[in-house]
Amino acid sequence: MVKNKFPKKLIVIILILVILQMVILIVYFSHSTYWKYNDWWIVGNDIDNVEKRYGEFDFDYGNRKAYYIGRDDAIIMPSHTPQYYWMELDDNGIVTQVYIAGPIGG
């Protein structure tokens, strides 16, 4: 008598696909502002740790720091202005908010 192993293989394939989907979703949501920077790790972390992990800042305005991420070349109405990954800090140097915007004043 030959046992049918198809259901076991199917279950293993489905489990692998579910795990892969979960990993992709976690990475997507943790890097939702910009693909290079992990928002979940940055928000709530000390700015010195952020600089150690991602390198020197392109802009440093005291309680705001930023990394250059490229130009705004959107398909609809591109502004072609530089875009930055901004981090706002509290008085203790802890990142409280991250967002993408152009340079200050312009």
Side-chain angles (χ1 to χ4, degrees):
M1 180 183 243
V2 175
K3 280 185 142 182
N4 189 358
K5 292 188 178 185
F6 181 73
K8 288 182 181 179
K9 288 180 181 179
L10 183 63
I11 290 172
V12 169
I13 290 172
I14 290 172
L15 283 174
I16 290 171
L17 290 174
V18 167
I19 291 170
L20 182 62
Q21 182 181 12
M22 289 172 51
V23 168
I24 289 171
L25 286 173
I26 289 171
V27 170
Y28 175 78
F29 285 113
S30 67
H31 294 73
S32 61
T33 305
Y34 188 67
W35 65 268
K36 187 176 178 182
Y37 304 108
N38 185 340
D39 300 340
W40 292 353
W41 185 84
I42 291 174
V43 174
N45 209 331
D46 185 70
I47 197 64
D48 294 331
N49 291 336
V50 174
E51 188 173 19
K52 286 177 190 173
R53 184 171 183 172
Y54 293 110
E56 188 177 337
F57 302 109
D58 295 316
F59 275 110
D60 186 350
Y61 290 116
N63 67 339
R64 287 187 190 165
K65 302 193 186 302
Y67 291 112
Y68 176 75
I69 59 173
R71 294 199 162 282
D72 177 18
D73 293 328
I75 295 172
I76 300 174
M77 297 183 66
S79 66
H80 304 292
T81 59
Q83 296 292 298
Y84 295 91
Y85 181 88
W86 288 98
M87 296 165 279
E88 290 190 6
L89 314 172
D90 64 7
D91 294 334
N92 299 321
I94 305 298
V95 179
T96 59
Q97 182 181 7
V98 295
Y99 55 92
I100 292 178
I104 293 179

